[in-house]
């Protein structure tokens, strides 16, 4: 069998493909999606990984944190995305309160995500504290992506969204947690809002792919929240966010034109009626 010319030619991205990408030095591009229509557009672009993030709690439901979203709601978003995607690896977040305290509950939650949403993998926030849950999920054959640094599900413990792991002590705990997750068998780790230097250190210390969001460029890939990078949500402006579009402006423009057309009887015209 001849190998694909570039990873863009692979017909289905798997955890093994991501590992190969790290080895070959090809960066991994990951974005969030929460519904069928956006997921379909993303998958047609050649995006490597689609994350059904619990940021759906903010972006789709308007909550001020990721904590309120439920497992049933994540399954709804996950299954909508999975129905649209042929190529990208689809990772679904386990929501707050479904895996932290009890590894049996964690496994049940992960099984529901795999069975009912049809995900390729699950993502959990945390290091040593959740290792038992990670082990149990992995032992059932479910691929796990870790998430360290700024972990939004613990916002009430930290009280702020400032950059994490700026002290020596916090940085070495993060590195230790990353090693623990790799040893347990996680296939990749997301690092959120940490110093770029630390992002580089973790990336060269670990064999599995490291995907950053505000973790600098020395990582193996990048992830952003789709609605933030498209400029649909405008309230959230951390330094790491690059806005690739101002879609809210375009949508407002189109809707205003529609309103004018309706009010001035320009819409519908002769060709737009039966
Ligand atoms: O929920 C989410 O969107 C995430 C990303 C920020 C990595 O976890």
């Amino acid at each position: 069998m001849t190998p694909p010319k570039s990873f863009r030619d692979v017909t289905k991205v798997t955890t093994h493909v991501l590992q190969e990408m790290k080895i070959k030095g090809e960066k991994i591009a990951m974005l969030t999606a929460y519904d069928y229509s956006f997921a379909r557009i993303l998958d047609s672009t050649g995006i490597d990984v689609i994350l059904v993030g619990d940021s759906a709690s903010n972006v789709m439901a308007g909550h001020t944190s990721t904590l309120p979203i439920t497992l049933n709601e994540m399954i709804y978003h996950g299954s909508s995305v999975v129905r649209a995607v042929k190529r990208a690896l689809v990772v679904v977040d386990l929501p707050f309160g479904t895996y932290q305290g009890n590894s049996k509950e964690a496994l049940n939650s992960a099984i529901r995500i795999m069975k009912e949403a049809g995900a390729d993998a699950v993502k959990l926030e945390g290091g040593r504290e959740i290792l038992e849950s990670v082990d149990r999920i992995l032992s059932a054959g479910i691929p796990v992506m870790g998430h360290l640094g700024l972990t939004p599900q613990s916002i009430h413990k930290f009280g702020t969204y400032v950059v994490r792991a700026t002290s020596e002590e916090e940085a070495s705990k993060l590195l230790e947690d990353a090693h623990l997750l790799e040893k347990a068998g996680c296939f990749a780790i997301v690092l959120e809002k940490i110093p770029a230097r630390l992002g580089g250190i973790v990336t060269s210390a670990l064999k599995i792919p490291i995907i950053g969001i505000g973790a600098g460029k020395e990582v193996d890939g990048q992830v952003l929240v789709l609605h933030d990078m498209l400029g649909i949500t405008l309230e959230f402006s951390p330094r790491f966010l690059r806005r690739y579009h101002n879609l809210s402006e375009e949508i407002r423009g189109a809707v205003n034109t529609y309103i004018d057309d309706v009010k001035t009887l320009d819409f519908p015209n002769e060709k737009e009626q039966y």
Side-chain angles (χ1 to χ4, degrees):
M1 204 175 73
T2 48
K5 284 192 289 303
S6 120
F7 288 97
R8 284 206 154 212
D9 298 330
V10 300
T11 49
K12 174 68 192 166
V13 179
T14 62
T15 59
H16 298 282
V17 169
L18 298 184
Q19 186 62 62
E20 280 297 300
M21 288 172 80
K22 172 157 182 150
I23 292 166
K24 301 265 163 60
E26 178 158 334
K27 299 287 182 188
I28 297 163
M30 166 162 148
L31 282 171
T32 64
Y34 317 102
D35 65 71
Y36 176 84
S37 303
F38 267 121
R40 213 168 135 195
I41 297 170
L42 289 195
D43 199 44
S44 71
T45 64
I47 193 84
D48 301 307
V49 185
I50 295 180
L51 171 67
V52 185
D54 58 359
S55 50
S57 180
N58 310 87
V59 171
M60 303 303 286
H63 293 297
T64 52
S65 79
T66 58
L67 274 68
I69 200 158
T70 64
L71 186 57
N72 282 342
E73 287 165 342
M74 288 306 296
I75 289 169
Y76 168 78
H77 289 296
S79 59
S80 308
V81 167
V82 166
R83 278 193 288 276
V85 173
K86 292 191 170 65
R87 179 184 177 274
L89 184 87
V90 179
V91 182
V92 178
D93 267 340
L94 283 194
F96 176 68
T98 65
Y99 64 93
Q100 286 92 346
N102 175 337
S103 63
K104 282 194 187 143
E105 190 188 352
L107 176 58
N108 286 337
S109 307
I111 287 176
R112 284 200 61 203
I113 296 270
M114 300 301 282
K115 256 180 151 35
E116 297 175 43
D120 296 318
V122 296
K123 176 164 81 59
L124 282 69
E125 294 182 7
R128 185 181 288 281
E129 329 72 72
I130 57 144
L131 214 53
E132 201 182 307
S133 294
V134 169
D135 273 336
R136 208 171 196 129
I137 296 170
L138 283 163
S139 67
I142 299 172
V144 174
M145 175 180 267
H147 184 155
L148 298 170
L150 195 161
T151 47
Q153 291 180 10
S154 314
I155 187 59
H156 294 303
K157 178 174 166 199
F158 295 104
T160 147
Y161 287 98
V162 293
V163 183
R164 296 294 196 268
T166 48
S167 69
E168 270 303 313
E169 194 190 343
E170 228 195 309
S172 53
K173 176 176 177 340
L174 187 144
L175 184 57
E176 190 187 306
D177 280 343
H179 276 295
L180 286 172
L181 292 175
E182 175 174 80
K183 198 158 165 242
C186 287
F187 71 89
I189 298 174
V190 167
L191 291 183
E192 181 164 354
K193 213 171 180 183
I194 60 161
R197 196 172 151 269
L198 181 59
I201 291 171
V202 177
T203 304
S204 41
L206 267 67
K207 292 195 176 62
I208 58 172
I210 304 298
I211 301 181
I213 171 161
K217 58 160 65 173
E218 303 297 320
V219 289
D220 301 305
Q222 301 290 336
V223 54
L224 285 175
V225 168
L226 182 69
H227 291 59
D228 295 337
M229 63 86 82
L230 289 180
I232 298 173
T233 45
L234 296 173
E235 312 75 36
F236 183 65
S237 276
R239 190 200 294 195
F240 65 72
L241 173 61
R242 185 180 293 182
R243 281 197 210 288
Y244 285 83
H245 210 60
N246 189 344
L247 209 50
S248 59
E249 202 49 49
E250 287 209 24
I251 293 171
R252 260 196 297 273
V255 173
N256 274 322
T257 309
Y258 167 73
I259 293 171
D260 288 346
D261 289 353
V262 170
K263 301 216 180 262
T264 59
L265 299 185
D266 183 76
F267 176 79
N269 64 23
E270 290 296 315
K271 287 191 197 144
E272 291 161 333
Q273 62 190 15
Y274 301 97

